[in-house]
Amino acid sequence: MTTRVLSVASEAYPLVKTGGLADVVGALPAALAPHDVKLTTLIPGYPAVMAALDESRVLHRYKDLLGVEARLLGGVAGGLELVVLDAPTLFTRDGGPYADPDGEDWLDNWLRFAALGRAAADIAQGAATDLHPDLLHAHDWQAAMAAAYLRFGKATASPSVMTIHNIAFPGYFPAEIFPLLDLPPEAFTIEGVEYFGGVGFLKAGLRAADAIPTVSPTYAEQIREPEFGMGLEGLITARRDRLHGILNGIDTVIWNPASDKNLATTYDAATLRMRGYNKRAVEKVFSLTEGDGPLFCVISRLTAQKGMDILAGLVDALVAMGGRLALLGSGDAELEVAFRAAAVRHPGQVGVRIGYDEALSHLMQGGADAIVIPSRFEPCGLTQLYGLRYGCVPVAARTGGLADTIVDANEAALAGRAATGFLFDGVTADDLTGALRRAITVFGHREAWRSLQKQGMKADFSWRRSGQRYAELYQRLLKAPASVQS
Ligand code: ADP
């Protein structure tokens, strides 16, 4: 019998994307379909989502969803089976999904995403016509209240799953919002939504969910430690029997160098020379001169998590070692300024695009020689997986999903043709410089470099295995809906 799952998230590719979360949420339905799981995705009715939704039907009307009028619309957009929370006072706005056009977080984010969670829990309890999910699957803090509302709502048998894509975003709000959440008073305790005196959305979801997957095995270990758990390590450790490290997959249709329309030239492992045309195209976009050394790229949020402050301090050294750099990203203002300044200092060697450009990100993976990912922590990371599939060799910190997916080019791995990239321990300028130097050296040995590229392209990072693991997890929960409060 088909298992019906309501997947709840604040973004989903191709409709709205600020990072890897959207790619995963957008890919899960197809990943689960072969396992007889039908996933319907609940997302907010941002303008881009409403515009993409052509034929929709009203599944439910709210006069008062935490104080706002709203509707639940069923329909298809971007190839996804959706339920859209149409609440214009919350979601019809210019700007991003979380912030205004100046980049400031919306002040009512607590209400916007509490409403999303409440709607999800209502659907799981049968509020929406035609839709009776067996199970609820929430992603990150923006959807986490779904599990909490389920737990404190009417008695329900629906199990809930709460995937941690990034534990560093807690969804923390002051205690004053609690009375507005329409939860019973007993929910404001350490066993409920209370978190350091306020309300923690992610914490509430992690406390309430029946299962807690996170997006790589190494990250599942790391978040039990204070360094990575961000204050939630105690809760994670207490609930470790609910914790699962399930590596994210990638959409191998969208990310396929043999058919990618964003490339100047498509190619596969047998025609790697063709990448040269893509490299020329990247050089043109970034106004770079041709060179003998490797062309490194960065496609990233420009934040401290991503180690971008360390890279910004090393651009001169990278150029001095014979490397060039093409960077696409946006984020912290001072990092944007630092990288722009580096491009001015090194015309022809360093090119910087501040912004978000999906098509260009594909071209860069298809043309650059290597992608630099010096993350201080990385739950899974997708850009290294795209890099591996495109023969764009990752140079990355040995943490989280990066450690789980890249085989370091040490001497033995190089000799055994098992290596796929360069990993370094510790995120300091010296560590990163060492890894960049190693990459530049191996790049000088054509055959060794080709072997790295080919080995990476051979690896299977599709959803095949991980889709099955999620399906098995759902089945286990449905067989034994479990006492929630371990
Ligand atoms: P995170 O979700 O922490 O930002 P991931 O590596 O998991 O990091 O996912 C990042 C996703 O966002 C990838 O699909 C990457 O290609 C994309 N991305 C990041 N920055 C940009 C950008 N400036 N332009 C286009 N795509 C970007």
Side-chain angles (χ1 to χ4, degrees):
M1 217 179 62
T2 304
T3 302
R4 290 157 306 173
V5 176
L6 183 72
S7 171
V8 192
S10 56
E11 46 186 280
Y13 181 87
L15 299 166
V16 46
K17 168 170 169 176
T18 70
L21 170 66
D23 286 357
V24 174
V25 171
L28 271 180
L32 270 305
H35 305 283
D36 206 15
V37 178
K38 181 170 162 29
L39 230 108
T40 306
T41 309
L42 170 67
I43 53 170
Y46 310 114
V49 174
M50 297 306 288
L53 196 67
D54 21 54
E55 279 179 30
S56 63
R57 56 191 201 286
V58 179
L59 303 176
H60 186 70
R61 284 178 200 279
Y62 286 101
K63 278 221 153 48
D64 178 3
L65 173 64
L66 304 182
V68 299
E69 264 190 62
R71 298 183 304 171
L72 293 173
L73 304 177
V76 175
L80 298 171
E81 194 79 47
L82 295 179
V83 181
V84 174
L85 177 58
D86 176 29
T89 45
L90 300 181
F91 301 119
T92 307
R93 301 173 182 185
D94 294 336
Y98 317 119
D100 67 20
D102 295 328
E104 296 292 329
D105 281 355
W106 300 110
L107 289 175
D108 60 351
N109 271 346
W110 66 272
L111 175 59
R112 301 168 79 228
F113 296 110
L116 181 72
R118 180 58 181 262
D122 289 345
I123 296 169
Q125 293 174 116
T129 329
D130 297 352
L131 211 77
H132 299 282
D134 303 306
L135 193 141
L136 189 146
H137 186 165
H139 302 271
D140 270 356
W141 77 265
Q142 299 92 338
M145 287 302 281
Y149 278 116
L150 254 194
R151 175 169 156 219
F152 290 104
K154 286 179 239 132
T156 173
S158 281
S160 57
V161 175
M162 169 80 238
T163 294
I164 304 170
H165 296 264
N166 194 339
I167 208 166
F169 299 109
Y172 178 78
F173 301 101
E176 289 71 50
I177 71 156
F178 179 75
L180 308 171
L181 293 175
D182 193 23
L183 282 163
E186 67 267 23
F188 195 68
T189 64
I190 191 90
E191 295 303 313
V193 306
E194 192 270 335
Y195 181 59
F196 290 113
V199 177
F201 279 27
L202 181 60
K203 182 259 165 165
L206 296 177
R207 183 63 254 175
D210 295 291
I212 307 173
T214 188
V215 292
S216 70
T218 293
Y219 195 58
E221 294 292 324
Q222 288 177 320
I223 56 176
R224 296 197 212 170
E225 307 296 329
E227 188 188 348
F228 297 98
M230 310 281 167
L232 287 165
E233 59 277 4
L235 175 57
I236 295 290
T237 302
R239 305 208 72 208
R240 61 189 173 279
D241 55 328
R242 311 285 175 146
L243 194 64
H244 307 265
I246 305 181
L247 199 66
N248 282 337
I250 60 173
D251 189 320
T252 50
V253 176
I254 293 168
W255 291 92
N256 182 357
S259 58
D260 191 331
K261 297 214 165 25
N262 300 298
L263 300 182
T265 314
T266 56
Y267 61 92
D268 59 22
T271 56
L272 271 172
R273 305 169 277 109
M274 303 297 282
R275 291 183 96 256
Y277 293 103
N278 296 321
K279 189 166 175 175
R280 296 292 95 78
V282 175
E283 287 165 349
K284 200 160 163 222
V285 171
F286 287 92
S287 305
L288 300 176
T289 46
E290 287 182 33
D292 295 334
L295 173 57
F296 292 95
C297 78
V298 168
I299 304 162
S300 182
R301 292 188 283 118
L302 301 181
T303 64
Q305 178 201 331
K306 300 292 182 180
M308 286 295 135
D309 48 327
I310 293 167
L311 182 63
L314 282 182
V315 178
D316 297 352
L318 184 146
V319 172
M321 288 189 283
R324 288 167 300 143
L325 177 68
L327 177 141
L328 169 64
S330 62
D332 295 353
E334 59 277 28
L335 287 173
E336 294 183 358
V337 168
F339 281 114
R340 278 203 170 107
V344 171
R345 281 200 307 279
H346 301 286
Q349 310 300 307
V350 176
V352 170
R353 276 279 184 109
I354 300 300
Y356 196 93
D357 189 333
E358 191 76 25
L360 180 56
S361 76
H362 283 243
L363 179 65
M364 291 166 77
Q365 295 278 17
D369 297 302
I371 181 162
V372 188
I373 316 171
S375 304
R376 289 190 166 84
F377 63 93
E378 193 59 76
C380 176
L382 293 177
T383 53
Q384 86 279 14
L385 301 182
Y386 300 143
L388 289 167
R389 184 152 166 84
Y390 278 61
C392 184
V393 175
V395 180
R398 194 193 306 272
T399 186
L402 298 169
D404 290 336
T405 55
I406 298 166
V407 181
D408 178 56
N410 57 43
E411 261 179 51
L414 266 180
R417 295 188 175 268
T420 61
F422 299 88
L423 288 170
F424 58 94
D425 291 299
V427 183
T428 66
D430 282 352
D431 299 319
L432 177 55
T433 306
L436 292 169
R437 187 173 293 122
R438 278 204 294 145
I440 291 169
T441 305
V442 176
F443 185 78
H445 299 85
R446 284 275 113 184
E447 221 180 291
W449 192 263
R450 278 274 183 267
S451 157
L452 275 182
Q453 290 178 297
K454 288 189 174 172
Q455 201 57 35
M457 292 176 85
K458 257 197 244 164
D460 177 7
F461 291 113
S462 72
W463 273 101
R464 203 174 41 82
R465 256 172 301 179
S466 298
Q468 177 160 359
R469 288 204 54 199
Y470 267 113
E472 286 166 0
L473 177 63
Y474 294 157
Q475 287 314 322
R476 244 179 297 156
L477 291 172
L478 288 170
K479 279 199 195 106
S483 57
V484 179
Q485 303 317 311
S486 65

